[in-house]
Amino acid sequence: MTKLIDPTTKYPVMDIPEQRQSEPGLDNELKPKADHGEQSYQGNGRLAGRKALITGADSGIGRAVAIAYAREGADVAFTYLPSEQDDAKDTLRLIKEAGQVAVPIMGDLTSEVFCRELVEQAADTLGGLDIVINNAGKQVHIDDISELETKQLVDTFTVNVFAMFWIVKAAMKYLKPGSSIINTTSIQAYSPSAGLLDYAATKGAIANFTKGLASQLIEKGIRVNAVAPGPIWTPLQPSYGQPMEKLVKFGRESPMGRAGQPAELAGAYVFLASEEASYVTGEIIAVTGGMPIS
Ligand code: NAD
Ligand code: MG
């Protein structure tokens, strides 16, 4: 029998000390530590033999998904930025410990050329591609629109939106009927924070793109879905993702009264790629601790 666990107390309300990291943050420096399911995720062969690409899986939600996918039997290619090598080493080790092929790919998604090349490298090394997870994201909090600089605006849209278009475009020559694309939107697409105008707008675009692409690609037998996380404890937050007064209370505004952990996202990404989701496309699964997305 599996143990019955109260979701509100499954993880504690964190005591978060003031902290600031440069962008992108590192999991290695996150206080307290995040849970990516290292000790808890149990695979069941649900993605056996699949070949997955996950962007930004050195840390946070992407790392939790990489662990789950590897333990479900998938080989995993993943991207990370040059400053994230230490985190990427941990993800690499965790995929290998699950007995799967791991392909780390370093580079910056603001480059269209890199977006094309990373898909080629993933498909060449894995021997094909069945699952594409657009997970990398940039979030920088700015209180006042008059202080929102064009460079930030352009970079946020490029990483969060344009890269997703470029990667999907490059992946089309590999994805066969039965393949799956999973994007990462946010509660911010539905309930934008005042200080995250640019970020929230990209997440709205991702939700919209997911539905449009789903209706385009179903003719090819490819399903397209998204996950909308709520407040999840990852390095995105202390690296200018939140103002300090919100960071120290991160997640307490959710109906669960606590932040979510990356490990709590993995199941949704596994489901959407699995055979069990064969009649699910154009869907957005909220993993928000109870914050509604409709
Ligand atoms: P994270 O910092 O662990 O992961 C984001 C990753 O994006 C980084 O590890 C980095 O490798 C990658 N990235 C950023 N800029 C890049 C660039 N220019 N080129 C290449 N890669 C780049 O944080 P996370 O919270 O796990 O974020 C994963 C996804 O979840 C993001 O799309 C984020 O918007 C989304 N999300 C997070 C939350 C949350 O509360 N943490 C909530 C809703 C949505
Ligand atoms: Mg990272």
Side-chain angles (χ1 to χ4, degrees):
M1 199 181 91
T2 50
K3 208 171 129 205
L4 207 55
I5 299 172
D6 181 341
T8 63
T9 52
K10 178 171 179 179
Y11 291 96
V13 178
M14 289 181 290
D15 202 0
I16 301 174
E18 290 198 359
Q19 59 198 291
R20 187 64 84 209
Q21 296 193 40
S22 55
E23 215 203 323
L26 289 177
D27 173 70
N28 281 344
E29 292 175 18
L30 200 57
K31 294 181 216 96
K33 288 279 165 222
D35 179 13
H36 309 90
E38 290 91 337
Q39 309 302 326
S40 56
Y41 193 90
Q42 289 186 356
N44 204 14
R46 290 170 75 193
L47 302 175
R50 294 277 188 272
K51 299 165 195 315
L53 166 65
I54 312 172
T55 59
D58 49 283
S59 58
I61 295 166
R63 183 192 287 180
V65 176
I67 292 170
Y69 272 38
R71 291 184 189 177
E72 295 290 357
D75 292 333
V76 180
F78 68 96
T79 74
Y80 62 100
L81 283 163
S83 63
E84 298 178 307
Q85 283 196 37
D86 275 0
D87 280 358
K89 269 188 215 151
D90 288 340
T91 299
L92 181 72
R93 174 180 51 78
L94 285 155
I95 298 167
K96 284 187 174 163
E97 281 173 4
Q100 298 301 132
V101 175
V103 184
I105 306 174
M106 185 176 77
D108 192 324
L109 295 174
T110 56
S111 155
E112 180 175 359
V113 172
F114 173 65
C115 287
R116 263 200 313 268
E117 285 173 357
L118 79 87
V119 171
E120 298 298 325
Q121 191 182 334
D124 281 356
T125 322
L126 296 176
L129 204 54
D130 324 295
I131 305 168
V132 174
I133 300 189
N134 290 303
N135 166 76
K138 176 180 168 71
Q139 172 185 327
V140 174
H141 176 276
I142 302 281
D143 276 329
D144 189 329
I145 191 166
S146 55
E147 282 158 25
L148 179 54
E149 288 182 6
T150 299
K151 177 164 171 35
Q152 174 175 324
L153 191 56
V154 169
D155 283 353
T156 303
F157 271 82
T158 307
V159 175
N160 297 6
V161 181
F162 294 166
M164 179 181 65
F165 276 80
W166 293 327
I167 288 169
V168 168
K169 201 175 151 188
M172 285 317 299
K173 78 177 200 227
Y174 299 106
L175 300 179
K176 299 198 168 57
S179 297
S180 184
I181 297 170
I182 305 170
N183 300 323
T184 306
T185 174
S186 170
I187 182 69
Q188 291 291 325
Y190 307 90
S191 182
S193 295
L196 291 175
L197 295 184
D198 53 340
Y199 173 82
T202 67
K203 293 296 165 178
I206 294 167
N208 181 286
F209 174 70
T210 299
K211 292 180 188 232
L213 188 67
S215 61
Q216 183 180 114
L217 295 190
I218 198 56
E219 274 182 12
K220 299 185 199 293
I222 299 167
R223 295 181 300 104
V224 184
N225 294 286
V227 176
I232 311 301
W233 186 236
T234 72
L236 194 74
Q237 306 301 345
S239 55
Y240 298 91
Q242 300 288 334
M244 198 59 80
E245 67 275 13
K246 280 198 169 182
L247 185 75
V248 294
K249 294 187 187 146
F250 186 69
R252 291 192 198 174
E253 76 282 12
S254 92
M256 294 249 184
R258 64 168 178 87
Q261 292 293 328
E264 297 182 282
L265 275 293
Y269 288 84
V270 169
F271 167 69
L272 289 172
S274 74
E275 203 43 49
E276 284 76 20
S278 55
Y279 205 53
V280 180
T281 194
E283 175 59 10
I284 296 173
I285 298 184
V287 185
T288 58
M291 295 156 112
I293 62 162
S294 58

